[in-house]
Amino acid sequence: MPVEIHHILTPTDFSDPSQQVVTSAFELAQTFGAKLSLLHVIEVPVYAIEVSLPLEDLERDARQKLALLHPEAGAAPLDVTRLVELGVPY
């Protein structure tokens, strides 16, 4: 029975090893014509006192980094979604 892959979710923390995973996921998505979702999760730390965090800046930075992960994905006939979420990465 042949393997069918329709959607690949690829989390990244922007490290070199995760870049290699993104590249492999991109190639796999091209091979199978699958949708590719790149995900980065920003962990919001909890402090005992009220602290103002620049969450908008962190989100904007993460979106820019996601766009640079595989810029050629925009030219490929692939459905690529880039997601930034706040929460616990695991």
Side-chain angles (χ1 to χ4, degrees), residues 6-39:
H6 301 283
H7 190 178
I8 300 169
L9 173 62
T10 308
T12 181
D13 61 2
F14 305 117
S15 65
D16 288 338
S18 70
Q19 173 60 43
Q20 293 172 4
V21 171
V22 168
T23 299
S24 296
F26 179 77
E27 292 169 358
L28 195 61
Q30 282 185 310
T31 299
F32 286 93
K35 177 180 178 176
L36 177 62
S37 294
L38 303 175
L39 171 67

Side-chain angles (χ1 to χ4, degrees), residues 3-71:
V3 174
E4 291 186 28
I5 298 175
H6 301 283
H7 190 178
I8 300 169
L9 173 62
T10 308
T12 181
D13 61 2
F14 305 117
S15 65
D16 288 338
S18 70
Q19 173 60 43
Q20 293 172 4
V21 171
V22 168
T23 299
S24 296
F26 179 77
E27 292 169 358
L28 195 61
Q30 282 185 310
T31 299
F32 286 93
K35 177 180 178 176
L36 177 62
S37 294
L38 303 175
L39 171 67
H40 177 72
V41 178
I42 299 171
E43 187 167 8
V44 180
V46 178
Y47 297 104
I49 59 172
E50 188 174 329
V51 175
S52 175
L53 295 174
L55 294 179
E56 296 83 16
D57 293 340
L58 293 172
E59 286 184 72
R60 183 176 45 255
D61 183 50
R63 289 185 198 288
Q64 290 172 347
K65 287 180 180 178
L66 277 176
L68 295 174
L69 273 181
H70 236 291

